[in-house]
Amino acid sequence: MNYQMDWSVITDNFDIFMEGLLVTLKISALSLAISIPIGIIAGLCRISRNRVLSFLAASYVEVIRGIPLLVLLLWIFFVLGKFMKLGSFWSAVIGLAVFSGAFVAEIVRAGIQSVPRGQMEAARSSGMNYFQAMKLIILPQALRKVLPPLASQFIILIKDSSLASVIAVVDLSLVGHNLVATTFRVLEVWTFIAAVYFVITFSLSQIIRYFERKYRVLE
Amino acid sequence: MISIRNVSKSYGQVKVLHDIDLEIPQSQVFALIGPSGAGKSTLIRTINALEDIQEGEILIDGVSVHDKKTDINKLRANIGFVFQSFNLYPHLTALENVTIAPVNVKNANKKEAEEKGKELLASLGLGDKFASYPGQLSGGQQQRVAIARALAMDPKVMLFDEPTSALDPEMVKEVLDAIRKLAATGMTMAVVTHEMGFAKEICNQIVFMAEGKIVEVAEPKEFFSNPKTDRAQDFLAKVLNH
Ligand SMILES: Nc1ncnc2c1ncn2[C@@H]1O[C@H](COP(=O)(O)OP(=O)(O)OP(=O)(O)O)[C@@H](O)[C@H]1O
Ligand SMILES: [Mg+2]
C-alpha cells in the first residue's frame, strides 16, 4: 500500500462538511422529535381495548418493520413528494419519523406494560380519567424504564439519516460521497465522517445516560 | 351511605360474589373478614368500580356506582382507596403523591393543595418526609403516605384492602393507629383486615365472608364471643389460636 494520507481534503472543505453536518443534525432532530409522539400514540393505540385502533397500530408497526428504510424513503419521495410537493428534506424527515415511530411504538408499549397494574388502579381510584392517569402516572414511569432501548433507537435513527442522501438530501454522507468522487481521498473523508457520526451518537447516549442516572434513585 | 344490593360478580364462568347485600351507614366502620379467596377484595373493589358486577347495584349516597350514566371519575374522587401494596407513585415525592389528584382532578390551587398535603402528612407523623420518594420510605411510612393521598381528596368514604398485610409486624401499629384516628373523626369506612384485635376494637360491625357470600354480620363483641355459624366458629378457631 502506498496510499499517502492527506488530511487537507478535510480542512479545505471544512465549511461544506459543516453544512452537511447541519443538515444531518436537522433531519435527525426533527424526525426524532416527530417519532416520539407518533410512537407514543401508536403504542397507546396498540394496547387500546378498541379493536380498530389496536389493529391499525399493529398494522402500522408490522408494515413499517417489514419495509427497508431505503425503499420507504424512495417511495415517500416519489409518491408524496410529487403529489404533495414535499421537497427531499421533508420527505426524508417524514420517512425517518414514520420509520422510527414504529420502533418507538413497540418500545413504548413494552414500557407501559411493565408498569404494575396497581399504578393505573391507584390513579383511576383517585378520580383521574384514563388520559390523566396515562399522562401523569403511567407514561412518566414507562418512559423512564425504556430510556436505554429508546437511546439505541435514536442512535439508529441518526445513523439511518445518512440514507437520506439517496433522495438527494445534501447531508453529511452525501457531502462525503461528492468529495470522494472529486478528490479520491476515500480513507480521509470516510474516517472523518465516521468520527463525526460517532461524536453525535456518543453525545446523545451520554445525555440519555445522565437522565437514566438521575431517575435511578427513584426505583 | 354505602348500599350494596343483591350484587353478584363472576370472572368468566366462575361466580365469586353471590347475591351480596350490605348497608354501611354514615360514620360507621365495617370490617370485612374471612378466609383467603372469600371475595373480600373483590367486594371492596366493586364499591369504587375497580371491578364491574353482573347483577345488583351499589349506591353511594344514592348514586349508582356501576350505572353507565354516572360520572365515575367524579364519584371516585369522593372515595378514598388504600391498597395492600400501597401503590404509591414511585416517580413522585411523598408530597407530590398527595397533591397530584387534588390539583389535577379537583383543580385545586397548587399552593393550597401543598399546604394541605403537608398538614396531612405531618398529622400522620411524616412531617420530615415531604421530599422523600416512596422507594426511600419504609412500608409503614409508605402506607401512611397512601392514606394521606386518599384523604387529600376529602373523601366521604374510605375503603381499605388489607392495609397492613404487606407490612413488617413492627409497622402494623403505626398504620392501624392512623386508621383508628380516622375512625374517630366519623369517617365512613370499610376495612378488609386480618387484624382481629383491631376489628374488635374500632369496628361497628364485623362482616364475615366465605366462598363469595356474606355468612354473618354482627357487632364485634357478639361476633367474637358468640359466632352463630359453623363457618365463623371454624374461622375464628383458626385465626385466634396462633
Ligand atoms: N382477576 C381475577 N380473575 C379470576 N379470578 C379471580 C380474579 N381475582 C380474584 N379471583 C378469584 O375470586 C375469588 C375471590 O378472590 P378475592 O381476592 O376477592 O379473595 P379475598 O377474600 O380477598 O382473599 P385474600 O384474603 O387472599 O386476599 C378467588 O377465588 C380468586 O381466585
Ligand atoms: Mg384480598
Side-chain angles (χ1 to χ4, degrees), chain A residues 14-25:
Chain A
F14 202 72
D15 289 354
I16 309 178
F17 276 117
M18 288 304 114
E19 273 166 38
L21 171 61
L22 198 62
V23 171
T24 288
L25 287 176

Side-chain angles (χ1 to χ4, degrees), chain B residues 95-111:
Chain B
L95 184 58
E96 288 165 343
N97 264 276
V98 173
T99 58
I100 191 158
V103 170
N104 290 282
V105 175
K106 286 195 163 170
N107 294 318
N109 173 291
K110 187 146 189 238
K111 273 257 156 53

Side-chain angles (χ1 to χ4, degrees), chain B residues 11 16 34-43 162 194:
Chain B
Y11 287 112
V16 294
S36 182
K40 309 178 295 293
S41 298
T42 308
L43 178 61
E162 298 199 30
H194 288 299

Side-chain angles (χ1 to χ4, degrees), chain A:
Chain A
M1 279 260 307
N2 46 12
Y3 184 95
Q4 288 290 325
M5 284 294 208
D6 177 5
W7 293 96
S8 66
V9 61
I10 309 296
T11 45
D12 290 350
N13 297 290
F14 202 72
D15 289 354
I16 309 178
F17 276 117
M18 288 304 114
E19 273 166 38
L21 171 61
L22 198 62
V23 171
T24 288
L25 287 176
K26 268 195 208 157
I27 290 187
S28 304
L30 282 169
S31 49
L32 194 152
I34 299 172
S35 74
I36 294 172
I38 292 182
I40 290 176
I41 292 168
L44 284 173
C45 290
R46 189 90 209 261
I47 55 169
S48 158
R49 271 192 231 151
N50 183 316
R51 292 261 176 85
V52 179
L53 284 183
S54 69
F55 174 77
L56 288 177
S59 311
Y60 161 63
V61 169
E62 292 307 333
V63 168
I64 294 296
R65 289 205 298 194
I67 299 179
L69 175 58
L70 182 67
V71 176
L72 182 70
L73 284 174
L74 288 168
W75 188 81
I76 286 186
F77 181 58
F78 286 111
V79 177
L80 290 185
K82 291 294 172 270
F83 290 119
M84 296 171 62
K85 301 262 179 299
L86 278 182
S88 56
F89 179 85
W90 284 105
S91 296
V93 168
I94 290 174
L96 284 164
V98 167
F99 189 75
S100 187
F103 293 87
V104 174
E106 283 298 279
I107 294 170
V108 167
R109 179 181 65 86
I112 290 172
Q113 287 175 335
S114 76
V115 176
R117 208 167 57 119
Q119 292 291 307
M120 182 55 103
E121 288 185 348
R124 294 304 306 274
S125 60
S126 74
M128 290 184 204
N129 63 37
Y130 178 82
F131 295 101
Q132 288 174 318
M134 264 297 161
K135 182 180 129 206
L136 300 168
I137 305 301
I138 307 300
L139 279 177
Q141 294 182 58
L143 294 179
R144 276 160 215 208
K145 284 190 187 184
V146 297
L147 273 177
L150 271 184
S152 303
Q153 181 52 39
F154 294 154
I155 284 167
I156 291 171
L157 172 62
I158 291 173
K159 297 196 289 182
D160 278 353
S161 75
S162 64
L163 275 175
S165 56
V166 301
I167 55 174
V169 175
V170 190
D171 73 331
L172 191 56
S173 60
L174 190 54
V175 167
H177 254 294
N178 295 342
L179 278 174
V180 168
T182 53
T183 66
F184 307 107
R185 308 305 316 177
V186 182
L187 269 183
E188 293 85 340
V189 168
W190 291 122
T191 306
F192 177 68
I193 286 181
V196 174
Y197 275 107
F198 176 76
V199 168
I200 305 173
T201 53
F202 186 71
S203 313
L204 180 70
S205 56
Q206 289 310 107
I207 294 170
I208 292 184
R209 188 147 311 153
Y210 164 81
F211 283 109
E212 257 180 76
R213 237 179 277 128
K214 185 170 149 184
Y215 293 137
R216 190 164 315 145
V217 262
L218 313 182
E219 295 310 309

